[in-house]
Every structure is written in structure tokens, then in C-alpha cells.
Amino acid sequence: MELELTTLLLLMLAALVAGFIDAIAGGGGLITVPALLATGMPPAMALATNKLQSCFGSFAATLYFWRQGLIKLNTMWPHILCTFCGSAIGTLLIQRMDSGFLSKLLPFLLIGFSIYFLLSPRISNDDSQQRIPPLAFAFLIGTSVGFYDGFFGPGTGSFFAIAFVALAGYGLAKATAHTKLLNFTSNFASLLFFALGGHVLWSAGLAMAVGQYLGARVGSRMVVSHGVKLIRPLLVGISLVISLRLIWQHYF
């Protein structure tokens, strides 16, 4: 499948906006996946190509947060390994199964998370009490959310962020930084197995990667400079938008 230059430029612009949003609150797939589907490509190819461009955005944000000292990689290898394995399994399964059940359940989970982020007094830039050990977090959250991202995807950033805040005791800026690290891990694993299945349209994905990278760099800077004042409303807003879109799509 070949796309015209004008189409590639529009996809790059969509990815630029999505990369900015993704770096702060997640949910950029709400922009990029419909944009890819609008070109006429099959759903599996759209999802696979979206993973390619998402890798660049999540990598750019992760690199920036690491350079700012918000991520300590030497403590995150169990999380990375579990997330990679979960995402690989999910990606292999989605190429053989229907994700319809998850798409119907997801909006109600995201609405619940939105209410938590909106009302909880614990949400701040300061770390709080850790509720489960790091290895248990890696296995339970990394594997399960990684699987979900490989199998379905929308709202993955919200799942990771809520887990880091509620279970690992991270402040919101630190949680966002580590969410991007595990987002990159799950995106990369999913891309690898989609590519092995021959589903990636490389020309579109690489064009969008340019926009994703630039948008993510700007968005990650906003997280560091504005912290919880910026992240909380965007995270709540994006989660609600994803929820309403999925409810409309599957119940009306």
C-alpha cells in the first residue's frame, strides 16, 4: 500500500499533536489510529503502524525524563522485562482473537480512574507510601498492563499512571515519567511482533515518527515545568474522552 505525499504530511501533523498529548497524559492514539484508518488501510495495519510511530514518541519522552533524573533505569529492569513479555503475548493473541469484550469494559474503568485522579487528595508531585514491593508491582502491573497494551491499547497510560501513584507511591510527575518508559517498552514489543506478522506500513509509520518525536519532546518539557497542575486535568480529560468515544462506538 502506498500513500501520497500530502497524506503522509497530514499523518505527520496528526502524530505531532498526538505526541504532545501522549507525553503528558496519554491518549494520542485517539488521534493517530482514526487518522491511519482514514487512509483506507486495514485495522490490523493501522494498529501496527500506530505502534511504530508511538515508539518514537514514547522513546523521546522517556529519554527526556531520564536526562532530567526522573527515571532510575537500574531499578526498572524487572518492570521492563515483565511489560515486554506481557505486550508480546497480547500482540500475538490479538492477531488471532477479538478484542470486543475489552473495548466494552474499558470506558467504565477509565471513568473510575478519572474520578480517582480528580478527587483524590493523594495526587501530587510528592512521593507517598509504597503499597506493594517493586518486584510485585513489576509482575502484576507490568505484565498485565503490557498484555493489555499489546492486545488492545487505549488508556494504557492511564493504567500505568494510576498504578504508579496508587500502588508504588510515586508523585504524578515521576509516575508520568515511568509510565512513558513502560509505554515505550510495550510499544516496542508490540511493534516487533506486528512487524514479524507483516502488518506494518513503514512509510507512514516513519513519517509519523518525525511528528511524534517532536511533539513528545515538547510535551515532556511541559510535564517537568508544570507538573501536577498540567497533568491532572489532561489525564482526566483524555480518559473521559476515550471513555465517551468507546461508549458511543459500542453502545449506540
Side-chain angles (χ1 to χ4, degrees), residues 9-33:
L9 291 174
L10 289 173
L11 288 174
M12 188 186 300
L13 179 61
L16 175 68
V17 177
F20 175 80
I21 294 173
D22 255 337
I24 300 171
L30 281 175
I31 298 170
T32 54
V33 172

Side-chain angles (χ1 to χ4, degrees), residues 25 118 172 227-239:
L118 190 62
L172 194 50
V228 69
K229 293 180 181 179
L230 175 69
I231 304 169
R232 190 204 294 245
L234 270 180
L235 196 56
V236 170
I238 292 295
S239 295

Side-chain angles (χ1 to χ4, degrees), residues 3 9 23 30 81 115 132 144 160 171 178 188 203 207 216-217 222-223 241 248:
L3 300 177
L9 291 174
L30 281 175
L81 179 62
I115 294 172
I132 64 174
S144 60
F160 275 132
H178 286 78
F188 180 78
S203 59
R217 290 284 295 179
M222 296 286 285
V223 169
V241 168
W248 179 265

Side-chain angles (χ1 to χ4, degrees), residues 75-181:
T75 66
M76 292 300 294
W77 290 111
H79 304 70
I80 292 170
L81 179 62
C82 289
T83 301
F84 185 96
C85 292
S87 180
I89 295 169
T91 303
L92 290 171
L93 282 178
I94 194 56
Q95 296 179 62
R96 295 167 174 80
M97 296 175 61
D98 176 26
S99 61
F101 171 74
L102 278 176
S103 65
K104 293 179 180 179
L105 177 63
L106 174 65
F108 303 102
L109 295 176
L110 288 176
I111 288 172
F113 292 161
S114 299
I115 294 172
Y116 177 86
F117 273 111
L118 190 62
L119 301 179
S120 176
R122 295 182 65 246
I123 304 297
S124 71
N125 279 329
D126 300 321
D127 291 350
S128 59
Q129 181 182 358
Q130 184 183 70
R131 296 178 181 271
I132 64 174
L135 285 178
F137 184 98
F139 180 75
L140 293 174
I141 303 302
T143 304
S144 60
V145 179
F147 173 84
Y148 167 78
D149 192 27
F151 189 78
F152 188 59
T156 297
S158 297
F159 285 126
F160 275 132
I162 193 74
F164 275 119
V165 170
L167 300 178
Y170 287 8
L172 194 50
K174 184 178 177 182
T176 301
H178 286 78
T179 289
K180 290 299 109 184
L181 171 63

